[in-house]
Amino acid sequence: MLVAICIGMYSPPVRAQLPPRLERCLPYPTLADEIRDMTTTGAEETVKVKATVDDVRIERTTHLPHDVQRQLRISILETEFTGEPDNWLGELEEVGIRGFLRDRGYIKATSRAKAELLGGDPTHKHFRVTIQLEAGPQYRLEKIRFEGDKAFSEEELRPLIRLREGQIFDVSKVREGLDAIYRNYSSKGFVDATSEPITEIDEARGTISLTIKVDEQQQYRVGRFEILGLDQELESQLKSILKPGEFYNSKLVYGFFTEHKAVLPNDVWPESMRINRDARTGLLSGVFDFRTCQQFQTQY
């Protein structure tokens, strides 16, 4: 059974203190800063061991065509790993193997992988990976329906999932569709909207029916936002997106950050901003702080 995939809106940290990137600009370190710096320094001094998989052997490949086996081998051989197998073998099993197969309709696939050292040196080791694999049956999409959708009709939401009836059930396309549904809702102020996929399998027909349960939650409008650290032109552009009283549009906000990524601080994204929700008034307010250390220290 496909595990339910939930898409929630980003939840920017609501903090009275400075953003972490500006805390580092203070003229004196806090105890937390000193501990973080000590931890970071130790991590940086650790030599990272590169791990390369040179050979992949697949065993017990029930129902899995040779072409899919070949694609799986290539996918693993082209993946870069770091450290000893204990660091990456679990992720390889869940994402690199079972995730690979779920995207090809084998949603009940099970696998167990083990790594054998072939050679190398302390900084670069080479491995052979052997996979015990039970692919199980391959499923196709029967139908998709929606529940709980009010702001958008099913006719508006259905094209966002690029999976047609009768096609091989591709989990990645479902996930991408849920992301697209969230973007639609968040563009109309439903910043906490979630979409949950519920699957129903027909073993006799080898099909999956998919129900998308939408929880729209509260719709928010723009309240009062303070903008720090931008020049006049960029500040005016952002203010044109954050017009008080209009529905908060996450899609436009992300678009602003993406369009001006080259001139904004490297670690600044909407998630790093302090945004407060007022459920009583239905308003979002907060601070968009783009200040650099130099700007902050000048004002401090």
Side-chain angles (χ1 to χ4, degrees):
M1 182 70 68
L2 173 63
V3 176
I5 308 166
C6 296
I7 300 296
M9 82 84 75
Y10 69 88
S11 294
V14 179
R15 302 179 56 188
Q17 65 268 35
L18 292 168
R21 63 185 186 83
L22 290 183
E23 287 179 356
R24 298 192 292 268
C25 305
L26 289 169
Y28 52 86
T30 64
L31 177 59
D33 293 331
E34 293 178 346
I35 294 174
R36 182 178 61 235
D37 290 342
M38 291 171 60
T39 303
T40 303
T41 300
E44 290 175 347
E45 291 176 351
T46 302
V47 177
K48 291 186 177 181
V49 179
K50 181 179 179 181
T52 299
V53 175
D54 294 324
D55 184 33
V56 178
R57 297 183 178 181
I58 303 176
E59 301 176 354
R60 298 170 59 190
T61 56
T62 309
H63 304 303
L64 195 63
H66 291 294
D67 186 54
V68 177
Q69 294 182 42
R70 181 183 63 82
Q71 293 173 23
L72 177 58
R73 286 192 180 92
I74 293 174
S75 175
I76 296 173
L77 292 171
E78 292 180 346
T79 302
E80 295 182 357
F81 301 98
T82 302
E84 298 297 330
D86 287 346
N87 297 333
W88 49 265
L89 207 53
E91 183 177 359
L92 171 63
E93 288 181 341
E94 176 58 29
V95 181
I97 301 173
R98 293 191 290 272
F100 175 92
L101 294 173
R102 284 194 292 264
D103 292 346
R104 288 155 180 80
Y106 299 96
I107 67 168
K108 291 187 175 181
T110 60
S111 66
R112 181 174 296 276
K114 63 179 181 179
E116 175 188 353
L117 181 64
L118 297 178
D121 57 54
T123 62
H124 189 181
K125 297 183 179 181
H126 297 261
F127 295 89
R128 172 187 295 120
V129 169
T130 301
I131 305 169
Q132 299 286 334
L133 178 63
E134 288 289 351
Q138 187 181 45
Y139 294 91
R140 294 180 177 270
L141 177 67
E142 176 72 23
K143 61 182 178 180
I144 297 179
R145 67 186 188 91
F146 293 82
E147 292 182 359
D149 49 311
K150 299 176 182 177
F152 296 93
S153 67
E154 184 164 330
E155 289 72 24
E156 292 175 296
L157 297 178
R158 178 61 183 90
L160 300 178
I161 301 180
R162 298 182 300 104
L163 192 61
R164 306 270 72 84
E165 288 74 7
Q167 289 185 331
I168 291 173
F169 195 90
D170 184 336
V171 173
S172 67
K173 289 185 178 180
V174 175
R175 188 179 297 112
E176 291 167 2
L178 298 181
D179 287 339
I181 290 171
Y182 169 71
R183 289 194 296 271
N184 262 30
Y185 273 95
S186 65
S187 71
K188 299 294 185 182
F190 296 97
V191 296
D192 292 321
T194 61
S195 300
E196 179 185 5
I198 307 297
T199 58
E200 182 179 350
I201 298 178
D202 186 329
E203 297 289 0
R205 293 169 55 86
T207 60
I208 295 177
S209 296
L210 181 64
T211 300
I212 307 296
K213 298 183 67 174
V214 179
D215 184 358
E216 297 178 343
Q217 302 194 49
Q218 183 159 341
Q219 189 176 31
Y220 286 94
R221 295 180 182 270
V222 177
R224 182 181 180 276
F225 279 90
E226 184 178 6
I227 300 174
L228 303 174
L230 292 182
D231 61 36
Q232 187 173 358
E233 181 180 351
L234 288 180
E235 182 175 339
S236 296
Q237 289 187 37
L238 184 53
K239 283 182 175 179
S240 70
I241 296 172
L242 300 171
K243 292 181 179 179
E246 293 190 352
F247 290 125
Y248 186 88
N249 190 330
S250 295
K251 187 175 182 179
L252 293 180
V253 172
Y254 267 93
F256 174 86
F257 279 75
T258 302
E259 180 181 354
H260 302 291
K261 181 179 179 181
V263 297
L264 296 178
N266 292 332
D267 51 356
V268 167
W269 281 100
E271 293 86 349
S272 65
M273 300 301 166
R274 303 199 304 275
I275 300 179
N276 305 310
R277 297 164 175 76
D278 189 329
R280 183 180 61 84
T281 62
L283 295 178
L284 293 182
S285 303
V287 179
F288 278 69
D289 196 338
F290 299 90
R291 289 177 296 175
T292 62
C293 271
Q294 183 178 0
Q295 289 174 313
F296 172 72
Q297 291 169 346
T298 300
Q299 299 167 357
Y300 189 82

